[in-house]
Amino acid sequence: DQQVKQNSPSLSVQEGRISILNCDYTNSMFDYFLWYKKYPAEGPTFLISISSIKDKNEDGRFTVFLNKSAKHLSLHIVPSQPGDSAVYFCAASNSGGSNYKLTFGKGTLLTVNP
Amino acid sequence: GAGVSQSPSNKVTEKGKDVELRCDPISGHTALYWYRQSLGQGLEFLIYFQGNSAPDKSGLPSDRFSAERTGGSVSTLTIQRTQQEDSAVYLCASSLNTQMNTEAFFGQGTRLTVV
């Protein structure tokens, strides 16, 4: 039973365009969401997060949107750059429970073409 | 070191053998986590250590898996009688406190292949 789903295994965009990565979750107890970026042969690195009390969080070229009623979040990268090419993982936690225990999606491989 | 260090980076072992994976967290980080990523899957929580508290072992998939953290620093994950389904990348992370967000840093992982 996958509680965090990233239904697109891969996404390809042109440099300068917007990349939109999607994530859906089923557990209504999740109230904190994170995106991690992973390059080959490296560990994941934290990118951006959002609490369920917000519907948007922006950090430079990266914006995460949260739609609680739809249990859906998305990561927007504008403008996309070739260095953004990596696997992006969506993760969720329940801050009222074991907030250190993250549930991850399977990841989306983003390729940004020059 | 500057980051979380894991060793070995790659390990190939025969089915039925025991393996030990090592994690050196960032100095001063009290929280340490083990996750694993099987082929085509997301990261799966295994175990969590926080200071001198009892670890949360709820993610360990079977009693063949165990982990310890000596002196609140280095951690070893041991898999006994390895099976082919244990093949995965095992990732360690550490953080200053219990917040698994900006403060948590992952190592590069150990790729375990059981043949």
Side-chain angles (χ1 to χ4, degrees):
Chain A
D1 175 32
Q2 235 191 315
Q3 298 187 65
V4 176
K5 298 178 184 179
Q6 293 177 256
N7 292 320
S8 297
S10 63
L11 174 67
S12 184
V13 300
Q14 284 299 119
E15 181 178 6
R17 299 291 188 107
I18 184 172
S19 295
I20 300 177
L21 298 119
N22 293 304
C23 177
D24 298 289
Y25 62 96
T26 58
N27 189 338
S28 58
M29 298 298 291
F30 288 148
D31 59 3
Y32 193 78
F33 305 89
L34 308 89
W35 285 93
Y36 281 82
K37 175 179 178 180
K38 185 180 182 304
Y39 292 117
E42 293 185 13
T45 55
F46 170 79
L47 192 56
I48 193 169
S49 63
I50 189 167
S51 164
S52 60
I53 61 172
K54 294 185 173 182
D55 54 19
K56 176 182 174 181
N57 188 26
E58 192 171 352
D59 183 2
R61 297 185 297 113
F62 303 91
T63 303
V64 57
F65 295 91
L66 175 63
N67 182 335
K68 282 188 296 182
S69 61
K71 294 192 178 69
H72 176 83
L73 63 156
S74 60
L75 174 68
H76 293 212
I77 306 174
V78 178
S80 302
Q81 299 173 353
D84 296 330
S85 298
V87 177
Y88 289 78
F89 290 100
C90 171
S93 70
N94 170 13
S95 60
S98 307
N99 61 354
Y100 51 81
K101 198 180 294 186
L102 293 178
T103 301
F104 283 82
K106 293 184 179 182
T108 296
L109 173 62
L110 173 66
T111 303
V112 180
N113 301 303
Chain B
V4 177
S5 178
Q6 291 187 246
S7 60
S9 53
N10 280 285
K11 175 74 177 178
V12 180
T13 190
E14 291 182 353
K15 178 181 170 181
K17 296 284 179 74
D18 298 352
V19 295
E20 267 193 10
L21 312 180
R22 177 185 169 106
C23 173
D24 280 278
I26 293 172
S27 178
H29 281 193
T30 59
L32 187 147
Y33 321 75
W34 283 97
Y35 280 76
R36 77 173 175 181
Q37 185 183 13
S38 302
L39 189 63
Q41 302 298 314
L43 279 70
E44 172 191 5
F45 170 80
L46 296 178
I47 188 169
Y48 163 76
F49 296 90
Q50 169 60 17
N52 295 320
S53 303
D56 178 348
K57 304 180 180 181
S58 60
L60 295 178
S62 78
D63 58 8
R64 297 186 294 104
F65 287 72
S66 62
E68 62 177 26
R69 189 178 184 193
T70 52
S73 181
V74 171
S75 176
T76 54
L77 177 69
T78 301
I79 309 173
Q80 295 178 309
R81 305 180 303 283
T82 52
Q83 303 294 312
Q84 287 183 331
E85 63 262 28
D86 300 335
S87 296
V89 177
Y90 289 81
L91 290 155
C92 175
S94 71
S95 65
L96 273 173
N97 53 34
T98 60
Q99 298 305 309
M100 187 76 187
N101 43 49
T102 56
E103 296 93 346
F105 297 87
F106 279 88
Q108 83 283 8
T110 293
R111 181 175 295 278
L112 175 67
T113 304
V114 181
V115 297

